[in-house]
Amino acid sequence: MKSLNDIRYSVLDLSPIIEGGSAAKSLQNTLDLAQHAEKWGYHRYWLAEHHNMPGIASSATSVVIGYVAAGTSAIRVGSGGIMLPNHAPLVIAEQFGTLESLFPGRIDLGLGRAPGTDQLTAQALRRERRDGQEFPEQLKELRSYFNPEEDLRVRAIPGEGLNIPIWLLGSSGYSAQLAGQLGLPFAFASHFSPDNTLPALHLYRKSFRPSDVLDKPYAMVGVNVVAADTDEKAEWLATSIQQQFLNMIRNKPGRLKPPVDNMNELCSTYEKAILEQQLGTSIIGGPAAVKEKLQSFLDDTQADEFMVNAPIYDHNERLHSFEITSNIMAGK
């Protein structure tokens, strides 16, 4: 069985905009967290594409990746992910070809097929109706732009000939199976789809075919971790992410709210049950509890890498949570 210091650990950041804050401050905090994460041994730092979300500042994902990469020196920086159906594959090839040209050997391209938003916003982005079914064809087109052996009349410059790792992201079995069939690394969104985690990982490994990219499966799992010096402090800090998901359940997305003393006063029994289901794999506690829960999660998933998400209202508390987690993962 794997131990925590056998695997890599990375950061997922949506650049959360807090209540009373601004997108500008959130992006500054993103760079600050990335610089600390690099120092603490995190392997990669991914930004996620979401749109029409008042609490997320990473909508222009490629731009933020460039900002983070420019302010760091060694940590890998990438997308977790780019929602490919929102874009022309050529545009993404050129954007990430540019990023890789500027920051060689440090850029990852994680791809998803969901819109990352509501249907009305998706239509505004795409200018036509798409349902994600064209994702395999879009992926094939995108990969062709990086392949110098393809005889293409339309070429991605920068992009052509560059080795930019492509990951497939998913919260169900669709991308898991496609990643396996193509021999690509796979990242699963367990941080908001816990019930599908083990079935999707099983399907990925079962479907895997060796490729020029990988000779065996490589699975990364997203996980919410809210760590503090005590269990009680962590539980209190975690009420911010609980409120965030509660607003999503109510279809009223907003900015990340400060912690509260009693979530039961804010949600119904039914809503509380949904929260417990959606946040079922979230790891919350002091160092001892977090270490035990992370090891248990690793035992269950046999992941090759954890990608840690920590939407915490106070930036300093967020930094502290990532530092505690890095110490645990490094065996300190």
Side-chain angles (χ1 to χ4, degrees):
M1 299 293 282
K2 295 178 180 178
S3 62
L4 294 174
N5 57 10
D6 290 331
I7 70 169
R8 289 170 170 164
Y9 50 102
S10 297
V11 175
L12 175 64
D13 184 14
L14 279 62
S15 198
I17 305 173
I18 65 169
E19 196 169 83
S22 67
K25 183 60 177 175
S26 296
L27 293 168
Q28 292 168 16
N29 287 343
T30 280
L31 180 57
D32 186 55
L33 174 58
Q35 291 169 340
H36 280 86
E38 182 172 72
K39 179 177 65 178
W40 292 329
Y42 285 90
H43 183 63
R44 63 185 99 238
Y45 194 101
W46 279 9
L47 287 304
E49 177 188 347
H50 291 273
H51 301 278
N52 197 27
M53 300 288 281
I56 296 176
S58 57
S59 56
T61 314
S62 300
V63 177
V64 187
I65 290 170
Y67 171 61
V68 170
T72 54
S73 59
I75 194 170
R76 297 193 65 87
V77 188
S79 57
I82 291 290
M83 301 297 112
L84 189 55
N86 292 344
H87 310 276
L90 176 61
V91 171
I92 298 304
E94 290 174 338
Q95 288 179 357
F96 278 78
T98 300
L99 288 167
E100 175 65 21
S101 298
L102 290 169
F103 311 103
R106 295 181 56 207
I107 301 300
D108 295 326
L109 176 50
L111 299 169
R113 71 183 184 99
T117 188
D118 58 89
Q119 291 302 312
L120 186 63
T121 307
Q123 188 173 355
L125 284 164
R126 300 172 181 182
R127 314 307 299 173
E128 60 186 56
R129 292 191 176 274
R130 298 179 189 166
D131 58 7
Q133 295 303 310
E134 70 282 4
F135 181 73
E137 289 73 27
Q138 282 193 301
L139 175 61
K140 182 178 180 181
E141 179 185 346
L142 174 61
R143 297 181 76 189
S144 73
Y145 289 126
F146 295 126
N147 186 355
E149 297 180 3
E150 294 275 358
D151 185 18
L152 302 177
R153 296 185 64 183
V154 177
R155 300 163 63 192
I157 310 294
E160 185 178 273
L162 297 180
N163 181 24
I164 303 170
I166 290 177
W167 294 66
L168 296 195
L169 282 56
S171 58
S172 65
Y174 182 96
S175 292
Q177 185 171 30
L178 182 60
Q181 291 170 346
L182 296 175
L184 295 175
F186 176 60
F188 186 81
S190 187
H191 58 293
F192 67 80
S193 185
D195 289 347
N196 290 327
T197 303
L198 297 184
L201 292 176
H202 174 74
L203 183 58
Y204 169 60
R205 290 162 178 149
K206 179 182 177 182
S207 305
F208 186 83
R209 301 171 186 168
S211 68
D212 292 341
V213 177
L214 290 175
D215 57 6
K216 62 181 180 179
Y218 191 96
M220 178 162 59
V221 180
V223 57
N224 297 314
V225 180
V226 178
D229 291 332
T230 65
D231 292 348
E232 293 76 18
K233 179 70 171 290
E235 292 287 351
W236 181 71
L237 292 173
T239 60
S240 291
I241 187 175
Q242 291 165 2
Q243 292 177 82
Q244 184 182 52
F245 272 77
L246 180 61
N247 285 336
M248 296 295 291
I249 292 168
R250 294 172 175 173
N251 198 28
K252 295 180 179 178
R255 296 187 173 194
L256 188 67
K257 294 180 177 295
V260 296
D261 292 330
N262 190 352
M263 277 297 297
N264 291 331
E265 295 177 352
L266 301 180
C267 59
S268 67
T269 303
Y270 173 71
E271 289 171 333
K272 186 177 180 181
I274 297 176
L275 283 177
E276 290 175 352
Q277 182 180 25
Q278 287 196 306
L279 298 173
T281 56
S282 295
I283 293 171
I284 302 164
V290 168
K291 182 177 181 179
E292 181 181 350
K293 293 174 184 178
L294 280 172
Q295 184 61 58
S296 178
F297 190 53
L298 179 57
D299 292 342
D300 290 341
T301 62
Q302 289 298 296
D304 299 291
E305 187 168 343
F306 283 161
M307 177 153 278
V308 178
N309 181 47
I312 295 172
Y313 179 82
D314 182 270
H315 182 60
N316 288 326
E317 297 286 4
R318 192 174 187 224
L319 290 176
H320 190 45
S321 179
F322 275 105
E323 183 176 19
I324 291 172
T325 304
S326 71
N327 288 335
I328 292 168
M329 296 298 298
K332 296 179 182 177

